[in-house]
Amino acid sequence: MSKDKKSHLWIPDEEVQRLNKALRAIPPQRNVSYAEHGSKLSHSLKEIKHTLDSVATDNSLGDSDLLVFNIELPDGEKIQDKQTLFDSNGMKVRAVKNVRSAIVTSTSTQFQTLRNRVDAYTRNGTGKTYFDFIEDFKPYIGSEKNSRELQKLATSAQIPVILDIQLMLIPNLEDHVYQTTMTQLLEKINATKGELQESPYYLSDRTPVVRAIIPSTALSRFENDSAIYRIEKTDFFNVDATQNTAIDLESIEIDPSVNVDELPIVAVLDSGVSFPQSLSALITQNWIAPNSGAGDGDHGTKVASRVAFKYLNQQLQSNIVTPRARILDCNILDGSVPVNIFIQRIQAAVNAHSDIVKIYNLSANATSPIEGDEMSIVGYELDALQLRTGVQFIVSAGNHTLWKTEFRLEDIIDDDDSRISAPADSMLSIVVGSIVGADHENSLSERNQIAPYSRRGPGFKGFSKPDLSAYSGTIVLDGQDASVPNDPLSMLISKDGKLIADAGTSFSAPIVAGDYAEILNSIPDRDTLLSKALLYHNAAVLWDEDGMEEDELTLAHNLYGRGLSNVEESRFSSPSKVTFVRTGSLNRVTKERVSIYMPQILAAQVGRNVAKVSVTCVSRPLVDRTKGTEYLGAYIRASLKKSHSDGVTLMPVQQDYREGRQKWDICHQFSKTFSKFNSGDWQIWLELFGRWDDKNDDVPYALVVTIEDVSGTLDVYSEIEALNRYRALNTIRIRLDN
């Protein structure tokens, strides 16, 4: 390690105060006329019963004696706070649509009791503590169950004769109910001249999903089935690869000084990998998904070359090349793969290799953009796998073809069809978009702009996506012909062992996957969450934040994420830039105050904007797809406190932007530049806020804090190091319980 490369500093337990947090509930009050409000609720319950009776022949839940309906709370109320209301009135929450709307079930007897209680409330106000806080009841049938894409198809001028759909059953039912319901549902598919596609499959939360091809005229019969929670058009996942002018790589060799066996491993979930013989030592295994015909290796080889070499042609001054990672070839794409099979193959790959390989690159997306208020099936499954196994997915943001019809990049960005596509809505994955790395005539994007094909955010529930970006090729149009021009950032290895140009977010994601592998390989115990926090923390922005408004910064993040990954700064501090790191866990009844030291040599500086403090806290909360927009179970809020001149008091630091510090995101990140301040102990206050889980459930986090001399001339590292309060990261073992 050179003298300018310093180890990051570990924040030990002695520098952390762990405090108890009291949970306070303020009893709400609502001023409503019980007679008027009760009459409304009574009419709604009557309407639910009438509606369900009218479609009883299509009810696959008929033998279970369960009535399914929607309950809505008033503005300001939350489903998560009303468990007593549901329990006391015979309702079970099966799925949450949003913060104040849920799908519930009652038995016939319980439903009649509910109607009787509402009648009593209407007469004399009995049960005000419950019924004052119900806005309305509604039936849950009809086209509202359909995804937006399916709604567009079903209402288009030319409705397809047949529909390939995913029928998701009501979540959280009992197993015996699912068994009888499934039998009736499959009978209805046959009765409507539909065809079951493969066996029904189960999501990680036990929710059954049935893929079927049905006549479009039969769609309403499934919309009106109480057993069905959601209907989606079946997504297909495939990869395309182009062939351009090629450069032969026959003579290249791996640098003999590199110990290949010590390189980190990245699993490439793709169409297969076929490196030239001279590079074959970089492939640890060729694994083919069960029941797969195996892909042709074209797209997968290109992706893998980016993981292993980043931008290979930058090394071709000689025939000796230096790899940075090895490849586990997971061949899961053998053409156009429907979402149910796609999920099963991803699960099989991770289950087979997660004990050894922690990084999984997935460069395949659905063709349509996400809806945003409902987590995609495959996005949720990636999150569930990451929680269960501790692996990290790096996912492409997806590509669109708007560049074929639009004439300006601004028009593409404004088009809703340019939004990210599944599984790029996954909250725990690292999602990567593309930036053009060189100027080319007839390209809609200039250098350092979002690529003309790269999908943009926002992601699920308006959160910023992508998370990061990487340089890749562009597309140029010459009349009706489109091509990818050769430049230093567009070249990849083809399955024929040649260097060719290609473009797509498929080839940006593996750049970050390889960067992440380099960082992970330098972290004690290869902690995946801390590596992710360092990756996000040190991303290089492509815009000047000075003078930007909040909405401008939001747009920048939805185009480029946090910016470009920076491996060196993620791995090392420097004399003028000191990074503190820590991992831990929090629950709803604890909070932490983490001390960092602001050195005297920096505080003594005179001038404007002399020091910068940056904070990143990444957490790994539980997720629940049945909670709708309330998908994430918790978030951790980070705030900065600076020292007062009295040396004792701490003062809050006002943040310039809300962006990067949103509630219910997995990453809270901000920075602040200071002109005048006091040396001594500053603190990062960490506090967890939870939704659904037990107050004692621990949520792991990784914290990264950097103190920087903006001039780059002061040795602030040595002053902090001399305190002997913080140990070099490369000399410690991270606690396994974190």
Side-chain angles (χ1 to χ4, degrees):
M1 186 186 299
S2 74
K3 65 178 182 179
D4 289 333
K5 291 183 178 180
K6 305 288 187 180
S7 174
H8 297 325
L9 299 178
W10 175 260
I11 302 173
D13 290 344
E14 291 77 14
E15 300 296 334
V16 180
Q17 301 176 49
R18 193 170 177 92
L19 306 173
N20 292 327
K21 174 184 172 184
L23 300 179
R24 293 178 297 175
I26 302 174
Q29 291 185 344
R30 192 165 183 243
N31 185 23
V32 297
S33 165
Y34 58 78
E36 182 179 337
H37 187 57
S39 179
K40 169 188 170 183
L41 296 182
S42 180
H43 179 268
S44 295
L45 291 174
K46 181 180 178 180
E47 188 64 27
I48 288 171
K49 187 66 167 63
H50 173 74
T51 301
L52 293 178
D53 286 345
S54 69
V55 295
T57 55
D58 278 324
N59 184 11
S60 299
L61 277 176
D63 293 343
S64 67
D65 189 37
L66 286 179
L67 284 74
V68 179
F69 53 99
N70 192 339
I71 185 171
E72 292 185 355
L73 306 183
D75 285 335
E77 300 298 325
K78 300 177 181 179
I79 295 292
Q80 70 183 69
D81 298 332
K82 300 300 181 184
Q83 192 60 52
T84 302
L85 182 156
F86 300 122
D87 292 343
S88 300
N89 290 282
M91 293 179 283
K92 286 190 176 181
V93 175
R94 303 296 184 172
V96 174
K97 300 296 288 183
N98 54 53
V99 67
R100 61 187 189 94
S101 175
I103 307 304
V104 300
T105 62
S106 286
T107 65
S108 298
T109 300
Q110 290 169 332
F111 189 78
Q112 185 57 51
T113 300
L114 177 62
R115 294 183 67 179
N116 295 339
R117 289 181 177 179
V118 169
D119 288 343
Y121 166 73
T122 306
R123 291 191 301 270
N124 53 33
T126 303
K128 278 181 62 67
T129 54
Y130 296 137
F131 300 118
D132 278 3
F133 296 95
I134 297 175
E135 181 66 25
D136 206 356
F137 299 105
K138 294 181 179 179
Y140 187 61
I141 65 169
S143 60
E144 68 172 296
K145 296 182 179 182
N146 298 339
S147 67
R148 290 198 192 113
E149 187 179 6
L150 186 56
Q151 288 178 10
K152 287 180 181 178
L153 273 179
T155 57
S156 61
Q158 292 184 319
I159 301 174
V161 176
I162 60 172
L163 296 171
D164 191 338
I165 58 174
Q166 304 283 314
L167 298 165
M168 182 183 297
L169 273 64
I170 295 290
N172 297 313
L173 297 179
E174 292 70 25
D175 289 342
H176 72 275
V177 176
Y178 280 140
Q179 290 174 8
T180 57
T181 299
M182 194 76 74
T183 299
Q184 295 193 37
L185 180 59
L186 298 183
E187 289 176 355
K188 182 161 66 176
I189 292 172
N190 289 329
T192 56
K193 299 187 176 0
E195 294 181 15
L196 178 69
Q197 303 295 298
E198 300 98 21
S199 300
Y201 65 103
Y202 291 80
L203 303 182
S204 293
D205 58 14
R206 292 180 45 258
T207 303
V209 183
V210 177
R211 180 188 170 207
I213 294 178
I214 65 167
S216 56
T217 54
L219 179 60
S220 62
R221 295 194 59 185
F222 295 92
E223 295 171 345
N224 294 335
D225 191 334
S226 289
I228 303 301
Y229 171 68
R230 182 170 169 83
I231 310 174
E232 298 183 5
K233 178 177 173 291
T234 297
D235 274 332
F236 287 83
F237 294 79
N238 53 34
V239 288
D240 296 316
T242 59
Q243 295 289 353
N244 294 321
T245 305
I247 301 172
D248 202 311
L249 296 176
E250 185 177 345
S251 62
I252 67 170
E253 299 177 6
I254 296 175
D255 186 339
S257 67
V258 174
N259 187 341
V260 171
D261 292 337
E262 292 184 355
L263 294 176
I265 303 173
V266 175
V268 174
L269 305 171
D270 216 285
S271 62
V273 180
S274 180
F275 277 170
Q277 182 60 37
S278 59
L279 303 179
S280 60
L282 296 177
I283 302 177
T284 63
Q285 182 184 352
N286 297 106
W287 179 88
I288 300 176
N291 303 314
S292 167
D296 62 8
D298 195 3
H299 187 271
T301 300
K302 294 176 180 178
V303 169
S305 72
R306 279 281 168 89
V307 173
F309 294 103
K310 203 165 189 173
Y311 302 111
L312 179 62
N313 57 316
Q314 295 180 348
Q315 298 189 38
L316 293 184
Q317 293 84 0
S318 70
N319 66 336
I320 304 298
V321 294
T322 304
R324 59 177 181 163
R326 291 177 286 167
I327 305 299
L328 169 62
D329 169 22
C330 293
N331 194 328
I332 68 168
L333 293 171
D334 54 352
S336 188
V337 181
V339 62
N340 53 321
I341 302 299
F342 188 59
I343 288 171
Q344 292 170 26
R345 291 178 180 179
I346 293 170
Q347 290 171 334
V350 174
N351 291 338
H353 304 108
S354 61
D355 288 345
I356 299 172
V357 180
K358 294 299 181 184
I359 310 171
Y360 291 77
N361 187 95
L362 183 60
S363 289
N365 298 80
T367 55
S368 300
I370 64 166
E371 295 188 4
D373 55 356
E374 185 93 18
M375 177 59 62
S376 69
I377 294 175
V378 66
Y380 163 69
E381 287 300 324
L382 294 193
D383 286 344
L385 275 173
Q386 288 171 104
L387 284 168
R388 181 170 60 81
T389 64
V391 304
Q392 180 63 60
F393 275 91
I394 290 85
V395 177
S396 52
N399 307 320
H400 58 74
T401 57
L402 293 170
W403 51 269
K404 293 181 178 180
T405 56
E406 300 289 357
F407 299 99
R408 299 191 313 147
L409 182 62
E410 293 81 1
D411 294 332
I412 291 177
I413 293 170
D414 287 342
D415 196 311
D416 289 341
D417 284 343
S418 67
R419 194 174 183 182
I420 62 167
S421 56
D425 53 348
S426 163
M427 291 295 290
L428 303 184
S429 298
I430 299 170
V431 178
V432 185
S434 291
I435 298 173
V436 170
D439 288 319
H440 292 279
E441 188 177 357
N442 297 323
S443 169
L444 291 177
S445 302
E446 299 175 356
R447 184 177 182 275
N448 284 336
Q449 288 184 330
I450 184 173
Y453 51 79
S454 183
R455 291 188 175 276
R456 49 81 179 165
F460 171 73
K461 205 188 172 185
F463 292 123
S464 292
K465 287 290 178 180
D467 297 301
L468 296 165
S469 291
Y471 285 125
S472 192
T474 189
I475 296 174
V476 298
L477 288 170
D478 185 7
Q480 296 298 315
D481 296 328
S483 62
V484 178
N486 293 10
D487 66 45
L489 304 174
S490 67
M491 308 300 284
L492 316 101
I493 301 177
S494 73
K495 68 174 182 178
D496 301 319
K498 301 183 185 302
L499 200 64
I500 69 170
D502 209 343
T505 58
S506 287
F507 312 125
S508 295
I511 292 292
V512 174
D515 290 349
Y516 179 82
E518 291 188 72
I519 298 167
L520 183 68
N521 214 37
S522 66
I523 299 297
D525 301 325
R526 290 173 170 79
D527 186 284
T528 55
L529 195 59
L530 179 55
S531 301
K532 183 177 183 177
L534 285 165
L535 183 73
Y536 285 0
H537 184 77
N538 292 286
V541 299
L542 295 164
W543 55 88
D544 184 2
E545 293 183 352
D546 290 343
M548 290 186 77
E549 299 293 333
E550 189 83 27
D551 57 346
E552 293 175 311
L553 186 61
T554 298
L555 175 60
H557 283 182
N558 282 327
L559 296 180
Y560 307 107
R562 295 165 181 83
L564 298 165
S565 54
N566 187 321
V567 174
E568 288 300 293
E569 294 207 358
S570 296
R571 293 180 61 190
F572 302 109
S573 290
S574 68
S576 62
K577 190 174 182 180
V578 184
T579 294
F580 302 87
V581 299
R582 174 176 174 78
T583 60
S585 62
L586 285 171
N587 55 47
R588 292 178 65 191
V589 295
T590 58
K591 53 187 176 181
E592 290 185 349
R593 297 178 178 179
V594 182
S595 293
I596 58 170
Y597 184 76
M598 179 63 78
Q600 174 61 38
I601 189 176
L602 192 53
Q605 283 287 91
V606 177
R608 184 176 180 272
N609 296 338
V610 297
K612 183 178 181 181
V613 178
S614 303
V615 178
T616 300
C617 183
V618 176
S619 57
R620 190 187 290 130
L622 296 177
V623 300
D624 188 342
R625 193 181 189 278
T626 70
K627 297 299 191 293
T629 59
E630 313 304 286
Y631 177 72
L632 282 180
Y635 79 97
I636 294 177
R637 183 177 67 190
S639 56
L640 178 64
K641 313 294 177 181
K642 62 181 180 180
S643 62
H644 190 270
S645 57
D646 62 15
V648 177
T649 310
L650 289 172
M651 300 184 297
V653 174
Q654 184 67 37
Q655 302 306 318
D656 296 329
Y657 299 105
R658 179 178 175 273
E659 174 67 28
R661 294 178 290 111
Q662 297 182 70
K663 293 180 178 180
W664 308 110
D665 203 349
I666 61 107
C667 179
H668 269 219
Q669 186 173 44
F670 57 89
S671 62
K672 183 75 172 181
T673 303
F674 297 89
S675 299
K676 185 178 181 181
F677 53 91
N678 300 296
S679 63
D681 284 352
W682 292 28
Q683 288 185 351
I684 312 299
W685 287 15
L686 302 177
E687 185 174 3
L688 181 141
F689 299 86
R691 275 193 179 116
W692 307 102
D693 305 305
D694 185 87
K695 64 183 180 181
N696 294 319
D697 283 348
D698 288 331
V699 173
Y701 74 81
L703 176 67
V704 182
V705 186
T706 294
I707 295 172
E708 180 181 1
D709 165 37
V710 174
S711 72
T713 60
L714 299 178
D715 185 2
V716 295
Y717 191 99
S718 293
E719 182 177 338
I720 297 173
E721 186 180 36
L723 299 172
N724 289 321
R725 290 169 52 181
Y726 308 95
R727 290 181 58 186
L729 179 61
N730 59 10
T731 66
I732 63 105
R733 283 186 62 82
I734 297 175
R735 297 186 304 277
L736 292 179
D737 61 344
N738 286 335

